[in-house]
């Protein structure tokens, strides 16, 4: 088989969902991918399902579908919360820690990515989270070392770090002026704004974050009137905020922006 090397594979762990992207070579733009062959769905639910009496695990939407058509008690939901709260899940009379389940979940995502992309070697593994703690860093490092990666090739980063990296790897016109990111999940709605300042030996990057959850919540999007109200609030916020600075590009990310409410 012909060898295929990619520069990096990224796995993002957000509340309730994960996503995968990869970069083929230095300077190229990261590409998002789905783990389902016939479905370009990029948000992968934090679900695991253990198939009856086989020991095989399914992840994401495959796990949810299997639970609906099999044994619901074999489903582990919100793997991220089980890990954070150090809880356990009993399946077929066996105890599984949140750490064990999260390891298995990430292992499946890596295997699916390798199958879909077809790489034989990946030079860097990047796992991102909002606020990765030492437990997550140890889990990720230990898992990928068992898969054959050298420790220095495994990186665990915050969302803010990767946001800045992603922006700066794009064409310069993207970040000629400020860049704004709106991130909405089920729990919060935040705005991050990148500004830059030239210094003697290069650029200094600043990221300012504002929590907008008090203005627009995910629950507002469940009704037509709520979506219309959220759209008006977002428009008013942009009109006021952009009086004070010039923005080259705006990113919208998170499950809250999957529905087209923000006309």
């Amino acid at each position: 088989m012909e060898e295929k090397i990619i520069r990096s594979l990224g796995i993002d762990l957000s509340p309730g969902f994960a996503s995968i992207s990869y970069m083929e070579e230095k300077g190229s733009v990261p590409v998002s991918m789905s783990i389902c062959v016939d479905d370009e769905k990029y948000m992968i639910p934090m679900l695991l399902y253990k198939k009856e009496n086989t020991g095989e695990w399914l992840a994401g939407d495959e796990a949810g579908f299997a639970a609906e058509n099999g044994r619901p008690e074999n489903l582990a939901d919100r793997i991220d919360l089980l890990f954070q709260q150090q809880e356990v899940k009993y399946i077929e009379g066996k105890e599984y820690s949140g750490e064990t389940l999260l390891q298995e979940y990430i292992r499946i995502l890596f295997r699916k990515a390798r199958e879909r992309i077809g790489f034989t070697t990946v030079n860097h593994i990047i796992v991102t989270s909002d606020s990765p703690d030492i437990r997550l860093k140890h889990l990720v490092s230990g898992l990928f070392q068992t898969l054959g990666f050298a420790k220095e090739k495994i990186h665990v980063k915050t969302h803010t770090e990767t946001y800045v990296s992603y922006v700066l790897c794009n064409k310069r016109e993207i970040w000629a002026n400020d860049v704004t990111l709106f991130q909405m999940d089920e729990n919060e709605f935040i705005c991050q704004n990148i500004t830059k300042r030239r210094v003697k030996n290069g650029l200094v990057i600043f990221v300012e974050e504002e929590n907008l959850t008090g203005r627009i919540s995910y629950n507002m999007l469940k009704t037509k009137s709520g979506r219309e109200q959220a759209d008006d609030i977002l428009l008013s916020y942009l009109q006021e905020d952009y009086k004070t600075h010039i923005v080259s590009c705006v990113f919208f990310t998170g499950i809250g922006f999957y529905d087209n409410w923000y006309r």
Side-chain angles (χ1 to χ4, degrees), residues 15 20 28 39 42 47 76 111 113 123 125 137 149 155 179 184 199 201 216 226-227 229 235 254:
I20 305 173
S28 62
D39 183 10
Y42 301 121
L47 304 175
R111 187 185 76 238
N123 290 331
I125 293 289
K137 292 178 180 179
F149 289 87
H155 315 274
V179 179
M184 180 186 284
V199 294
N201 296 319
I216 303 175
R227 291 191 294 272
Q229 182 185 6
L235 176 61

Side-chain angles (χ1 to χ4, degrees), residues 109-143:
L109 297 193
F110 176 77
R111 187 185 76 238
K112 293 281 191 179
R114 183 169 54 192
E115 291 170 356
R116 289 219 63 189
I117 302 168
F119 62 79
T120 52
T121 304
V122 54
N123 290 331
H124 294 276
I125 293 289
I126 301 101
V127 175
T128 64
S129 178
D130 188 30
S131 301
D133 59 14
I134 194 67
R135 290 178 60 238
L136 180 61
K137 292 178 180 179
H138 284 166
L139 182 149
V140 169
S141 181
L143 170 60

Side-chain angles (χ1 to χ4, degrees), residues 27-249:
S28 62
V29 176
V31 178
S32 297
M33 61 160 287
S34 168
I35 63 172
C36 301
V37 176
D38 299 321
D39 183 10
E40 293 304 308
K41 185 177 180 181
Y42 301 121
M43 304 292 283
I44 307 164
M46 287 274 194
L47 304 175
L48 271 182
Y49 180 85
K50 187 177 183 184
K51 296 178 72 172
E52 296 88 332
N53 304 314
T54 68
E56 181 185 355
W57 291 93
L58 301 174
D61 290 303
E62 287 185 345
F65 180 78
E68 291 175 359
N69 295 275
R71 297 181 180 177
E73 62 272 20
N74 282 20
L75 181 71
D77 191 4
R78 288 303 302 267
I79 305 300
D80 52 328
L81 289 182
L82 291 175
F83 172 75
Q84 291 168 11
Q85 299 170 7
Q86 301 188 47
E87 296 181 356
V88 299
K89 173 73 177 180
Y90 290 90
I91 300 177
E92 296 184 335
K94 186 175 179 180
E95 178 182 296
Y96 295 92
S97 67
E99 183 170 325
T100 298
L101 293 170
L102 185 59
Q103 276 187 325
E104 187 61 40
Y105 179 82
I106 297 174
R107 192 194 312 273
I108 293 173
L109 297 193
F110 176 77
R111 187 185 76 238
K112 293 281 191 179
R114 183 169 54 192
E115 291 170 356
R116 289 219 63 189
I117 302 168
F119 62 79
T120 52
T121 304
V122 54
N123 290 331
H124 294 276
I125 293 289
I126 301 101
V127 175
T128 64
S129 178
D130 188 30
S131 301
D133 59 14
I134 194 67
R135 290 178 60 238
L136 180 61
K137 292 178 180 179
H138 284 166
L139 182 149
V140 169
S141 181
L143 170 60
F144 282 103
Q145 285 184 68
T146 64
L147 294 174
F149 289 87
K151 190 174 182 180
E152 63 270 16
K153 301 293 186 179
I154 306 164
H155 315 274
V156 180
K157 297 188 175 186
T158 67
H159 285 162
T160 300
E161 286 179 280
T162 49
Y163 166 42
V164 172
S165 298
Y166 178 78
V167 168
L168 296 182
C169 83
N170 274 273
K171 296 179 180 179
R172 189 176 181 85
E173 54 260 35
I174 294 282
W175 48 277
N177 298 296
D178 292 359
V179 179
T180 301
L181 177 140
F182 291 100
Q183 158 82 29
M184 180 186 284
D185 58 35
E186 294 179 350
N187 300 311
E188 64 178 2
F189 178 33
I190 63 171
C191 171
Q192 289 187 326
N193 190 66
I194 288 180
T195 60
K196 60 185 186 295
R197 183 181 304 161
R198 291 199 171 276
V199 294
K200 184 177 181 180
N201 296 319
L203 290 175
V204 176
I205 303 297
F206 297 89
V207 181
E208 297 179 329
E209 180 173 306
E210 184 176 4
N211 194 316
L212 303 176
T213 310
R215 304 190 190 200
I216 303 175
S217 69
Y218 183 77
N219 287 334
M220 290 175 65
L221 309 182
K222 296 179 179 180
T223 65
K224 184 175 184 295
S225 61
R227 291 191 294 272
E228 291 174 349
Q229 182 185 6
D231 187 40
D232 290 338
I233 293 171
L234 179 58
L235 176 61
S236 296
Y237 175 84
L238 293 173
Q239 288 173 331
E240 185 63 29
D241 183 57
Y242 289 2
K243 289 178 181 178
T244 60
H245 60 129
I246 300 172
V247 175
S248 298
C249 183

